[in-house]
Amino acid sequence: VFYDVSTLYFEASREDELRKLGFSKDGKPHCPQIILGLLVSTGGYPLAYEMFEGNKYEGETLIPVLEHFNKRYNPGKLVVVADAGLLSRNNIEQLTNHRYEFILGARIKSEAKEIKSQIQSKKWGNGIIHEFEKERHIKLIVGYSDKRARKDAQNRNNGIKRLEKRIISGKLTKDNINNRGYNKFLKIDGNATISLDVEKIKDDSRWDGL
């Protein structure tokens, strides 16, 4: 089964017990909303859904939907697939404690230093897959794609070109030095001179295609 969440906003002036202000995937954070958790089959058919308060953290919605579905239909063994937004230590512990098998998207750049070092030490080529052991017998599965590598490089180059134009125009300030998007490649030198951090760009390129 595949699980994901979305948000639905309302053109309302007030919150109530369900419709709350929170993160909006529609870009409407000023509108009260609800969170919709949807469970679908491998063919994409809806199996179950639950509604949650709009200010609820989406990572806390996975287990309630699975448990409600299990109690109602008793489907037997489930393998749960979800994206990296549901990848939290608490969710992994609960999935394990409830004896679910699961596949969760991972953010490999956010892994522990030791795991990242292991990933970088491997030889990679198109279609190659490696498995890495994590805690409690959890495996991290990493694959490499030439197509993905080209896309990663192109996206980064486009982002850098936009930053270069803003540097030349003088529109960047120290407030732009953050980890949002490609701003992570900026640095301040001396008397607040903003430039591109070449070492960060090189390091980022090492993850292209993974």
Side-chain angles (χ1 to χ4, degrees), residues 51-193:
M51 290 184 293
F52 301 91
E53 300 90 338
N55 59 356
K56 193 175 187 67
Y57 167 54
E58 68 177 47
E60 297 176 353
T61 66
L62 174 61
I63 302 301
V65 173
L66 289 174
E67 287 298 279
H68 183 263
F69 179 71
N70 247 340
K71 289 177 182 177
R72 185 172 183 181
Y73 298 108
N74 191 26
K77 177 181 175 182
L78 289 181
V79 179
V80 182
V81 183
D83 66 20
L86 283 301
L87 182 68
S88 69
R89 183 170 295 275
N90 182 57
N91 274 344
I92 290 176
E93 288 179 356
Q94 291 200 57
L95 286 167
T96 302
N97 292 339
H98 287 84
R99 299 184 180 279
Y100 291 113
E101 293 189 8
F102 56 88
I103 302 170
L104 298 179
R107 298 183 177 97
I108 56 177
K109 293 181 186 177
S110 300
E111 290 291 338
K113 186 176 181 180
E114 181 182 353
I115 293 289
K116 290 194 291 185
S117 178
Q118 291 178 33
I119 294 172
Q120 290 291 343
S121 68
K122 295 290 186 180
K123 290 185 177 181
W124 296 98
N126 192 47
I128 289 180
I129 295 173
H130 289 294
E131 293 185 1
F132 303 89
E133 292 291 337
K134 297 189 63 174
E135 74 279 3
R136 296 184 68 179
H137 308 294
I138 294 174
K139 292 181 179 179
L140 175 68
I141 301 173
V142 182
Y144 179 87
S145 161
D146 285 340
K147 182 178 179 181
R148 172 63 183 263
R150 290 191 294 270
K151 181 176 182 294
D152 290 341
Q154 183 179 8
N155 288 344
R156 182 176 54 254
N157 289 337
N158 290 340
I160 290 171
K161 287 178 182 177
R162 289 193 294 270
L163 287 175
E164 288 175 332
K165 287 182 180 179
R166 295 177 68 193
I167 290 174
I168 293 172
S169 69
K171 292 181 179 179
L172 290 178
T173 68
K174 64 179 181 180
D175 292 332
N176 296 110
I177 310 297
N178 53 53
N179 284 321
R180 296 174 188 165
Y182 294 106
N183 282 9
K184 63 186 177 183
F185 296 138
L186 295 173
K187 66 177 181 179
I188 295 181
D189 298 307
N191 297 322
T193 300

